[in-house]
Amino acid sequence: MTESAPRRLSQLATISVAELKNVGDRRRESLASIGIETIFDLLTVYPRRHVDRTRQVDLSDLTIGEEVAIFARVDRSSSRRTKQGRSMVELVVSDTGGSMSVVFFNQPWRDKQLPVGTQALFFGKVTDYRGRRQMSNPVVDVLVGVGGIERDPSRVGRVVPIYPASGKAGLTSWEMGGFIEESLRRAGAFLDPVPDAVLDELDLIDRTSAFRGIHLPEEYADITVARRRLVFDEFLRLQLLLVLRRQRLEETEAGVAHDVDVSDLDVTPGSLSSSDSSLVRRFLAQHRFALTGAQRRVLREIFTDLASPRPMHRLLQGDVGSGKTTVALASMLAVLSSGRQSALMAPTEVLAEQHASGLRRDLGDLRRPDPHVLGGERPLNVQLLTGRLRAKERAAVLEGLATGAVDIVVGTHALLTEDVRFDALGLVVIDEQHRFGVEQRAVLRDKGRGASRDAIDPDVLVMTATPIPRTAALVLFGDLDLSIIDELPAGREPIATTWCREPEEVAEVWAHVRAEAAAGRRSFVVCPLVEGSERVEATSAVEERDRLVAHELAGLRVGLLHGQMKGPDKDAVMDDFRSGALDVLVATVVIEVGVDVPEATVMVIEDAWRFGLAQLHQLRGRVGRGSAASSCYLLGEPTTEDGTARLEALVGSHDGFVLAEEDLRLRGEGTLLGARQRGRSDLKLAQLLRDGDLLVDARRVATDLVTEHGASGLSADLVDELRLFVDDDEADFLFKS
Ligand code: ADP
Ligand code: MG
């Protein structure tokens, strides 16, 4: 490594850690075992935390119960086994102010790590054990070995970075720090691929200072600004890749500009009588209700996409009950106006059937132009395609799709089979997209070019009622445009949510269910999640229904719905519940998504704390869909802290987006982002909750850079850096000119 020319990250990624002074074969292997092979890998191992030695506590002023860092020397050390057979290493450590005991359970190797004479930082909570101050299982950073070999004095300065030590690889934080420090020193200055104007605007420091600031801070304040710059870089790279991918897709796609008119959306019910205007106008004029402001806004976004020749890739997020189906329907009609078909895919048969019958109802007697028939018009043709159709029915639907006699098809996975072909597929709508994989989305989209007579790439709209925070959406679905319905239809009463813990409260719940039934309204009872198979869960739902019928709900008409039932049986039960032939539906979580029964006003969730927060919010969303006041009752006593937190969150908010943020906080972003992490995952420092603003900035900068210059116009330095984070195939797709 020479020290003159500024370093690119890509260069550092070609230099092996073996180049470092203290790294021989053994260390190289240890580092490799935790994924660190190059200088670049090392420099992006960030400190787990920093310890401000100026704020370090003295043993003379310890407070019991406090978490502190103590720099002390090991005076005595012994190891033994406890009565339960656990290994225990016990130390007495001291500084000038006094002494305390430190114990480690099940960490026999501490014995060798911390011989008498070692000086180390111990972090942990101070407790009182039989009148003596003690820390058990503290985090340890050895600063001065037995021989008194001082670590580089600059590193034992005021702010000490603590790296993730690896017991398995036999690497201490101290050693990691040493390697990183040497790497930094020898790397010298870093090349900075981010334009100065961007750095100025966002008040970000240069890259060289950032790497130094996080690894070798002079003072605490250095860390914050350093971190901010490095986090921005992580986000910028990710967003550049997403925006580029998106642009590449558009270049390689053959879309079509549908003949839609955004001003059609201004029509309100009853405001129009002429029958010769567009389908969208006629639909809105005859509709049961006026669009909400939010529905109108997202439809404008969608119509603008439809009118453009590039295919739409849009994610529509809207809380449960916000009216996404109407948005989908208006979009399908717009596409139909230019003579193209639409396909709506739902995750379950119950939902597909509900959508099909809802669409037929909402379309009423709308007619579409048809030059082949007398009078030039015919009724709209909506068909259902699920795995349950008999061969003959199925053949008829397939025939209609291929000839263009069917305008809208609603279905399940059955839409994806090879024999489904279209005349002219113009729009694909996917409901509850989290239930489908990316590949299934692609299969349906490819029906446009691959299985349609007119071979275009259809527009794609994916809908979800499981809101994810906007920041998470930018990371997870950054290659989709985002529309959000952030308003519920007027007149909805909030759903009164109560967490019932006492037997008397639970008794009132059942009394309420009975009262609603007497008034002609309906209730759901959701059975506890049961570990094991769907069969076990079904059995327990059957038992619960029987128990309720025998006791709390005696005399009511109570139906049962679970995942093990046959399709037609499920339909029959849903029909009975919809029509009012049943008062109560006892169900497993199969009813979680989408089911729309406006007369249902009570949702009882047993052992509610076992469900995830998003799931609970979905379940609650099954009621409150009509104008009557609705209630949601959460039963059960949580056995976990998180369970309690989820129930409190649900009682405290009705807003799916607020709950999604809370869910992110409770579960951590690991679970959420897990699916996305592949290849060389680049979000090492960034945290969505903490750094959301920077992410939004990075998105904007990425979009500006790409639209300004196009892929080929990005600076060579940036492209060079991005290549580090994608595999060869992806790089070819993104960067070849
Ligand atoms: P989502 O799929 O977003 O959960 P739906 O599309 O099922 O919501 O709509 C929920 C309920 O609200 C349905 O009964 C629907 O008919 C009704 N609805 C939708 N849009 C409106 C509106 N603008 N005004 C009044 N009711 C509406
Ligand atoms: Mg829906």
Side-chain angles (χ1 to χ4, degrees):
M1 288 192 273
T2 64
E3 308 208 355
S4 48
R7 296 286 178 178
R8 295 163 181 273
L9 297 187
S10 61
Q11 285 174 295
L12 297 173
T14 62
I15 303 173
S16 160
V17 292
E19 301 276 313
L20 295 173
K21 216 169 37 200
N22 288 319
V23 178
D25 280 352
R26 196 179 57 80
R27 290 266 167 64
R28 190 178 49 73
E29 276 166 33
S30 304
L31 287 166
S33 77
I34 50 173
I36 300 170
E37 294 181 348
T38 70
I39 301 299
F40 167 75
D41 295 337
L42 256 184
L43 290 179
T44 52
V45 171
Y46 296 111
R48 216 161 16 132
R49 63 168 156 272
H50 295 82
V51 175
D52 189 345
R53 301 268 313 271
T54 59
R55 271 194 272 160
Q56 189 186 309
V57 184
D58 213 55
L59 274 165
S60 58
D61 55 24
L62 280 188
T63 314
I64 302 294
E66 227 176 12
E67 277 224 332
V68 289
I70 286 158
F71 182 55
R73 177 182 180 283
V74 179
D75 292 338
R76 264 185 292 150
S77 160
S78 62
S79 45
R80 61 187 174 88
R81 292 212 163 264
T82 64
K83 283 194 206 90
Q84 294 81 28
R86 294 200 290 168
S87 87
M88 174 170 155
V89 174
E90 181 163 19
L91 311 176
V92 175
V93 305
S94 67
D95 65 10
T96 50
S99 73
M100 71 169 185
S101 98
V102 173
V103 291
F104 297 98
F105 296 100
N106 286 334
Q107 303 176 17
W109 47 274
R110 292 290 190 186
D111 191 15
K112 293 213 178 54
Q113 185 203 24
L114 296 161
V116 171
T118 318
Q119 296 176 53
L121 277 163
F122 299 89
F123 314 103
K125 193 153 145 184
V126 183
T127 54
D128 177 71
Y129 182 73
R130 298 191 177 154
R132 193 171 161 69
R133 290 168 307 182
Q134 185 180 76
M135 263 188 202
S136 65
N137 292 344
V139 174
V140 179
D141 189 35
V142 178
L143 292 186
V144 185
V146 210
I149 316 156
E150 268 281 341
R151 180 152 114 177
D152 182 327
S154 72
R155 290 188 34 78
V156 199
R158 300 201 303 148
V159 183
V160 184
I162 305 299
Y163 292 96
S166 170
K168 188 184 70 176
L171 290 163
T172 63
S173 164
W174 180 21
E175 285 172 305
M176 290 291 280
F179 300 150
I180 290 170
E181 189 185 343
E182 188 190 341
S183 306
L184 265 183
R185 195 159 35 75
R186 291 177 57 183
F190 289 80
L191 182 132
D192 203 328
V194 178
D196 285 341
V198 172
L199 298 182
D200 284 349
E201 184 217 323
L202 296 173
D203 203 10
L204 292 165
I205 62 173
D206 66 276
R207 180 173 278 181
T208 309
S209 312
F211 274 109
R212 287 196 70 82
I214 197 114
H215 290 300
L216 299 172
E218 304 267 313
E219 50 190 313
Y220 239 76
D222 295 348
I223 303 164
T224 322
V225 286
R227 184 180 174 284
R228 198 163 162 268
R229 168 63 207 265
L230 295 167
V231 165
F232 178 78
D233 286 2
E234 291 182 355
F235 282 147
L236 181 65
R237 287 187 288 255
L238 177 72
Q239 293 303 323
L240 278 171
L241 290 171
L242 287 166
V243 174
L244 276 173
R245 181 175 306 142
R246 178 55 201 277
Q247 201 196 44
R248 275 310 213 184
L249 272 176
E250 280 171 7
E251 286 164 10
T252 54
E253 278 175 333
V256 70
H258 299 282
D259 181 17
V260 305
D261 186 349
V262 176
S263 72
D264 283 358
L265 294 168
D266 299 331
V267 172
T268 49
S271 70
L272 189 90
S273 55
S274 82
S275 56
D276 59 356
S277 49
S278 82
L279 273 174
V280 173
R281 295 177 86 86
R282 280 187 274 152
F283 167 69
L284 294 177
Q286 65 155 50
H287 202 41
R288 292 176 286 140
F289 42 70
L291 296 176
T292 62
Q295 282 171 320
R296 207 180 296 276
R297 176 171 47 72
V298 303
L299 273 168
R300 275 201 202 99
E301 293 164 357
I302 292 169
F303 276 28
T304 307
D305 284 358
L306 293 176
S308 129
R310 41 175 203 87
M312 168 168 77
H313 296 272
R314 189 169 280 280
L315 173 66
L316 174 60
Q317 283 200 35
D319 213 342
V320 285
S322 61
K324 292 182 293 297
T325 316
T326 308
V327 169
L329 181 51
S331 309
M332 295 193 283
L333 290 176
V335 166
L336 190 54
S337 296
S338 24
R340 291 205 165 72
Q341 298 160 293
S342 297
L344 168 61
M345 183 162 75
T348 64
E349 291 182 342
V350 168
L351 271 189
E353 276 154 28
Q354 177 181 290
H355 275 314
S357 61
L359 295 192
R360 289 196 183 112
R361 176 199 61 203
D362 286 350
L363 289 173
D365 50 10
L366 275 187
R367 301 171 68 78
R368 59 158 293 185
D370 185 345
H372 305 301
V373 300
L374 206 62
E377 280 200 338
R378 65 165 171 79
L380 293 186
N381 187 349
V382 177
Q383 292 298 330
L384 183 67
L385 187 68
T386 68
R388 208 185 299 155
L389 291 192
R390 272 172 293 149
K392 231 173 120 186
E393 299 166 322
R394 179 180 164 81
V397 174
L398 293 189
E399 161 89 16
L401 285 172
T403 60
V406 173
D407 301 307
I408 295 175
V409 64
V410 181
T412 55
H413 297 86
L415 287 171
L416 301 177
T417 54
E418 204 157 327
D419 52 353
V420 179
R421 305 186 61 86
F422 292 82
D423 174 47
L425 180 61
L427 173 65
V428 164
V429 181
I430 298 177
D431 194 18
E432 303 304 342
Q433 66 82 32
H434 63 286
R435 297 293 174 110
F436 296 104
V438 179
E439 308 76 36
Q440 289 167 314
R441 208 204 293 167
V443 169
L444 193 51
R445 188 203 56 208
D446 292 344
K447 293 274 179 196
R449 203 168 344 170
S452 275
R453 187 188 45 75
D454 75 342
I456 58 149
D457 286 314
D459 289 278
V460 177
L461 178 68
V462 298
M463 310 198 291
T464 178
T466 308
I468 55 173
R470 189 165 195 119
T471 50
L474 276 180
V475 172
L476 287 170
F477 304 111
D479 45 359
L480 299 176
D481 291 315
L482 186 58
S483 287
I484 297 181
I485 308 186
D486 52 5
E487 176 190 355
L488 293 180
R492 294 278 170 81
E493 299 267 340
I495 303 160
T497 306
T498 322
W499 175 10
C500 306
R501 321 174 76 155
E502 305 298 327
E504 309 83 69
E505 293 175 305
V506 176
E508 276 173 35
V509 171
W510 301 120
H512 187 188
V513 168
R514 305 178 66 92
E516 289 295 285
R521 290 186 287 265
R522 277 148 250 170
S523 304
F524 291 104
V525 178
V526 176
C527 299
L529 278 180
V530 183
E531 296 285 324
S533 64
E534 259 197 52
R535 167 121 25 107
V536 182
E537 190 151 288
T539 312
S540 101
V542 173
E543 285 167 4
E544 181 61 9
R545 196 267 313 260
D546 293 347
R547 193 187 64 79
L548 287 170
V549 170
H551 301 97
E552 287 90 342
L553 302 182
L556 298 192
R557 298 166 302 169
V558 181
L560 178 69
L561 189 70
H562 62 68
Q564 294 276 294
M565 286 164 54
K566 292 225 171 60
D569 298 340
K570 280 192 214 166
D571 287 347
V573 171
M574 275 316 295
D575 284 347
D576 286 347
F577 188 64
R578 254 191 212 109
S579 71
L582 289 171
D583 304 308
V584 177
L585 187 61
V586 175
T588 57
V589 73
V590 295
I591 59 152
E592 177 195 340
V593 290
V595 169
D596 185 31
V597 180
E599 295 82 8
T601 52
V602 179
M603 167 62 66
V604 183
I605 308 174
E606 301 190 7
D607 276 1
W609 58 276
R610 289 181 187 274
F611 296 93
L613 193 48
Q615 227 172 5
L616 287 169
H617 181 60
Q618 278 289 319
L619 287 170
R620 177 170 60 180
R622 297 308 107 218
V623 298
R625 304 172 78 83
S627 51
S630 295
S631 319
C632 173
Y633 296 107
L634 311 171
L635 309 190
E637 194 57 42
T639 61
T640 65
E641 233 174 84
D642 275 4
T644 306
R646 286 195 292 271
L647 298 193
E648 281 171 352
L650 197 74
V651 170
S653 176
H654 287 89
D655 183 329
F657 288 92
V658 171
L659 291 172
E661 293 275 353
E662 183 60 26
D663 204 25
L664 183 60
R665 201 165 287 131
L666 288 174
R667 285 193 304 165
E669 56 201 47
T671 18
L672 189 62
L673 299 184
R676 195 79 191 189
Q677 308 289 358
R678 49 162 197 195
R680 196 172 216 151
S681 160
D682 192 23
L683 294 188
K684 292 186 167 172
L685 267 183
Q687 293 170 19
L688 293 183
L689 280 171
R690 180 171 167 189
D691 306 310
D693 293 349
L694 270 183
L695 173 55
V696 173
D697 287 333
R699 173 67 170 197
R700 181 176 46 79
V701 171
T703 311
D704 288 352
L705 286 175
V706 171
T707 43
E708 219 172 282
H709 306 293
S712 49
L714 282 186
S715 77
D717 293 334
L718 261 180
V719 170
D720 178 67
E721 184 159 323
L722 292 177
R723 282 179 179 277
L724 257 182
F725 297 91
V726 290
D727 61 26
D728 292 348
D729 285 350
E730 180 80 354
D732 273 354
F733 177 65
L734 293 178
F735 304 120
K736 71 164 183 260
S737 42

